[in-house]
Structure formats: C-alpha cells, structure tokens
C-alpha cells in the first residue's frame, strides 16, 4: 500500500485546512486509517483514526472538537478536516493504515507527510 498525504500549508491561528490521504496499490476500503503528526523536536503522536466503514472515529484530546476524520472508500481516500487551528498544531502530518481491524499504535503502512504551519 502506498499512501500520500496532501493539503498542508501555512494558515493563521483560527483557520482551517483539509488534509487528504490518497492510497494506491491496494484497496484500503476495509482498513482503518490513522492520522499522526510530528512537530520539530517531538515524537510522532496520534491525532485521529477512522474505522474502515467510517462509522467510528477517534481523536486525541488535543484535537477533539476541532478536527474531523472522514473517508471516501469509493475513491480510496481519507480526509482530515482541521478547524480552529492553533500554533501547537504545527507539525508534519502523516496518514497511515494497517490490515488489522483496529489501527495499532504503529501501523504498517505510512506515506510521506505534509507540512502544516500555523503562524500569524
């Protein structure tokens, strides 16, 4: 499975961005999708995950109520809508997946990240 996150950029505090994760090489419609991020000098951390049907989504406390994960299985894509962005959201964002029914802490498949910078 090849994954590619896109949609990052520079945004002011309070702004919004929508990240996309495009999968190729395999149909991921039955796999969970996770979003992770890594800020400079910090470890990679979990942001959000969505079940394969999209009916269940899970969020880190730091983004709960501001970020929304979704997916379009017909297009082999997933999305992360990020609203009310804060300086602390600045990081490289990655999407990941795994063949396990529940996304493990270290998914097997990762794509290159996309930079999100929140700055005034």
């Amino acid at each position: 499975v090849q994954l590619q996150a896109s949609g990052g950029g520079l945004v002011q505090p309070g702004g919004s961005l929508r990240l996309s994760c495009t999968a190729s090489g395999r149909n991921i419609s039955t796999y969970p999708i996770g979003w992770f991020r890594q800020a400079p000098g910090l470890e990679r951390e979990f942001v959000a995950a969505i079940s394969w049907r999209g009916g269940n989504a899970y969020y880190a406390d730091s983004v709960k109520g501001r970020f929304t994960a979704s997916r379009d299985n017909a297009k082999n894509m997933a999305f992360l809508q990020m609203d009310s962005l804060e300086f602390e959201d600045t990081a490289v964002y990655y999407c990941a997946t795994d063949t396990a029914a529940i996304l493990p802490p270290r998914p097997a498949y990762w794509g290159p990240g996309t930079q999100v910078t929140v700055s005034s």
Side-chain angles (χ1 to χ4, degrees):
V1 179
Q2 290 80 46
L3 301 174
Q4 177 66 61
S6 61
L10 175 63
V11 63
Q12 292 185 341
S16 298
L17 282 174
R18 188 191 193 209
L19 304 184
S20 299
C21 177
T22 303
S24 60
R26 191 181 299 182
N27 187 323
I28 62 167
S29 63
T30 60
Y31 301 166
I33 298 291
W35 290 93
F36 296 78
R37 67 187 181 186
Q38 186 168 19
L42 299 179
E43 293 186 354
R44 191 174 297 183
E45 65 174 357
F46 169 80
V47 175
I50 186 166
S51 62
W52 71 273
R53 286 184 174 177
N56 294 302
Y58 309 90
Y59 303 93
D61 288 343
S62 59
V63 306
K64 201 171 294 183
R66 301 188 297 119
F67 290 11
T68 304
S70 62
R71 64 190 298 163
D72 185 337
N73 286 338
K75 296 181 178 179
N76 228 24
M77 295 182 69
F79 307 95
L80 184 67
Q81 177 67 38
M82 306 187 298
D83 298 318
S84 301
L85 283 162
E86 304 171 352
F87 293 118
E88 293 75 18
D89 296 318
T90 295
V92 177
Y93 284 71
Y94 303 86
C95 59
T97 191
D98 197 281
T99 56
I102 297 176
L103 195 74
R106 296 176 184 268
Y109 304 101
W110 295 81
T114 184
Q115 176 71 47
V116 172
T117 302
V118 183
S119 176
S120 55

